[in-house]
Amino acid sequence: MQEKGLLIVLSGPSGVGKGTVRKAIFSQPDTAFEYSISMTTRAPREGEVHGVDYFFKSREEFEELIQHGKLLEHAEYVGNYYGTPIDYVKETLDSGKDVFLEIEVKGARQVRSKFPEGLFIFLAPPSLSELKNRIVTRGTETDDLIHNRMLTAREEIEMMSLYDYVVVNDQVELACEKIKAIVTAEHCRRERVQHRYLKLLEVE
Ligand code: 5GP
């Protein structure tokens, strides 16, 4: 029987740079895991492509996906829905490939309850003030929105305890390296590999 792939979940507070780290990981030719493209109701940003960055959906379409159980998790974030297609994730894991999700923390919590054997990595900001700088220097948000995001971020940081690993995003390259090292180590975990050796004994 085909051994299942690993479900890797990268999450963390808003503004920490999850998207940047994910894009950096998938721009490296030696990355061996598959990115699960999310569904969202938010409008495409300039340069974003349907089926590459996201599957862009109307609210009606998205709600239908929820009703038909087509999403592994979903969350509303700053007025828009975001969610992970369940069929893609299951089929890819069943084919033996690792699947990588980059999602916000409410979604990660749902995945944790459905896939407790997944690998949950929390991307943390070097400090809260650094996080604020990053949000402000993006230059696209109002003061109110920044304030609300800071409150959310504080709560999210407290959610760190739900995760297996914490990677501080002080340098993108370094964060990518650490995430890949964690995945490699996870594949070597005794609980994940011992059954293969036990099977060898059965043959004798
Ligand atoms: P953005 O609109 O900036 O692309 O993403 C906003 C937030 O939604 C980010 O924190 C991103 O990680 C998160 N996100 C992207 N896809 C998903 C998803 O499928 N599910 C959940 N729960 N969050 C997502």
Side-chain angles (χ1 to χ4, degrees):
M1 210 181 80
Q2 173 70 56
E3 212 162 290
K4 275 195 173 190
L6 189 62
L7 182 61
I8 305 154
V9 180
L10 180 70
S11 192
S14 105
V16 74
K18 297 186 289 292
T20 307
V21 169
R22 183 256 300 170
K23 282 180 193 147
I25 288 176
F26 284 93
S27 72
Q28 296 170 351
D30 65 334
T31 296
F33 22 91
E34 307 292 315
Y35 175 55
S36 164
I37 301 164
S38 295
M39 315 264 182
T40 186
T41 59
R42 90 151 157 71
R45 294 191 186 119
E46 213 182 306
E48 284 186 334
V49 176
H50 179 81
V52 175
D53 299 285
Y54 281 104
F55 295 107
F56 297 99
K57 301 279 174 192
S58 67
R59 266 189 105 76
E60 293 71 33
E61 286 170 330
F62 199 100
E63 281 165 2
E64 213 161 286
L65 290 168
I66 299 172
Q67 274 162 20
H68 290 99
K70 294 287 185 194
L71 300 176
L72 168 61
E73 60 74 35
H74 70 276
E76 201 153 354
Y77 176 84
V78 199
N80 287 301
Y81 281 130
Y82 294 82
T84 302
I86 195 162
D87 290 347
Y88 173 80
V89 170
K90 286 199 164 156
E91 284 161 17
T92 312
L93 292 175
D94 286 347
S95 76
K97 290 182 190 144
D98 295 344
V99 177
F100 188 97
L101 309 184
E102 177 249 300
I103 59 178
E104 53 70 70
V105 290
K106 284 178 278 181
R109 184 191 281 271
Q110 294 166 42
V111 182
R112 181 100 223 183
S113 67
K114 290 184 185 165
F115 270 88
E117 73 280 21
L119 174 59
F120 291 78
I121 304 172
F122 190 88
L123 194 65
S127 70
L128 260 182
S129 59
E130 172 76 356
L131 175 72
K132 185 165 186 180
N133 284 340
R134 284 179 196 201
I135 294 173
V136 173
T137 54
R138 248 190 220 168
T140 53
E141 324 288 8
T142 63
D143 284 353
D144 269 0
L145 196 59
I146 291 164
H147 178 70
N148 287 339
R149 281 200 170 180
M150 286 304 292
L151 289 180
T152 310
R154 206 175 283 273
E155 288 165 17
E156 288 170 336
I157 287 167
E158 285 162 10
M159 290 177 77
M160 219 183 249
S161 51
L162 284 173
Y163 295 77
D164 303 305
Y165 292 90
V166 176
V167 170
V168 177
N169 188 22
D170 42 10
Q171 282 180 52
V172 173
E173 287 309 307
L174 215 57
C176 292
E177 238 174 71
K178 287 179 183 170
I179 290 165
K180 285 187 160 187
I182 290 167
V183 174
T184 303
E186 192 66 17
H187 275 291
C188 301
R189 192 184 276 280
R190 195 260 309 150
E191 294 92 313
R192 291 195 194 273
V193 298
Q194 193 176 24
H195 67 98
R196 284 187 224 146
Y197 294 91
L198 291 173
K199 266 199 194 123
L200 283 179
L201 292 180
E202 282 167 17
V203 177
E204 275 186 12

